[in-house]
């Protein structure tokens, strides 16, 4: 499938770029409770080497949490920029013997 991909790049149908495979939250986002992260210790301690994290978010992980809570991500899944801009101009094509030159 390299041929069609290269053709799309050369003819401007696609642009080379990178996209995020995960979502990154806003700094001020309140996604986790104390029980979820960093976890809890048996009373009366507030910090211990054997903290237990309670993963109670169910299926609301990553972008699903943002969608369910209607909270935008700082950088959502698929966010990215193109690596380059280019433009073709003033080019010509001639034919000789039925072949493009």
């Amino acid at each position: 499938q390299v041929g069609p991909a290269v053709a799309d790049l050369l003819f401007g149908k696609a642009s080379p770029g990178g996209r995020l495979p995960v979502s990154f939250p806003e700094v001020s986002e309140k996604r986790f409770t104390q029980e979820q992260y960093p976890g809890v210790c048996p009373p009366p301690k507030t910090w211990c080497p054997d903290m237990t994290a309670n993963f109670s978010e169910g299926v609301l992980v990553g972008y699903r949490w943002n969608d369910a809570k209607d909270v935008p991500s700082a950088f959502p899944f698929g966010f990215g920029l193109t690596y380059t801009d280019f433009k073709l101009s003033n080019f010509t094509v001639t034919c000789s013997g039925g072949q493009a030159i």
Side-chain angles (χ1 to χ4, degrees), residues 55-67:
F55 297 101
S56 59
E57 61 272 289
V59 297
L60 299 182
V61 178
Y63 73 90
R64 290 178 180 161
W65 185 90
N66 293 90
D67 287 346

Side-chain angles (χ1 to χ4, degrees), residues 12-26:
K13 289 183 181 179
S15 180
R19 304 287 183 251
L20 288 177
V22 295
S23 294
F24 287 97
E26 292 280 354

Side-chain angles (χ1 to χ4, degrees), residues 11-76:
F11 287 103
K13 289 183 181 179
S15 180
R19 304 287 183 251
L20 288 177
V22 295
S23 294
F24 287 97
E26 292 280 354
V27 173
S28 61
E29 189 175 286
K30 303 292 185 217
R31 181 177 294 215
F32 301 106
T33 65
Q34 180 69 31
E35 289 78 25
Q36 290 173 317
Y37 183 82
V40 292
C41 291
K45 299 177 182 178
T46 57
W47 185 263
C48 63
D50 300 321
M51 295 183 85
T52 303
N54 179 15
F55 297 101
S56 59
E57 61 272 289
V59 297
L60 299 182
V61 178
Y63 73 90
R64 290 178 180 161
W65 185 90
N66 293 90
D67 287 346
K69 304 293 184 180
D70 199 28
V71 175
S73 297
F75 300 100

Side-chain angles (χ1 to χ4, degrees), residues 70-95:
D70 199 28
V71 175
S73 297
F75 300 100
F77 176 86
F79 178 84
L81 301 173
T82 184
Y83 292 133
T84 186
D85 285 326
F86 61 91
K87 183 171 124 180
L88 301 173
S89 62
N90 300 324
F91 63 93
T92 60
V93 176
T94 59
C95 292

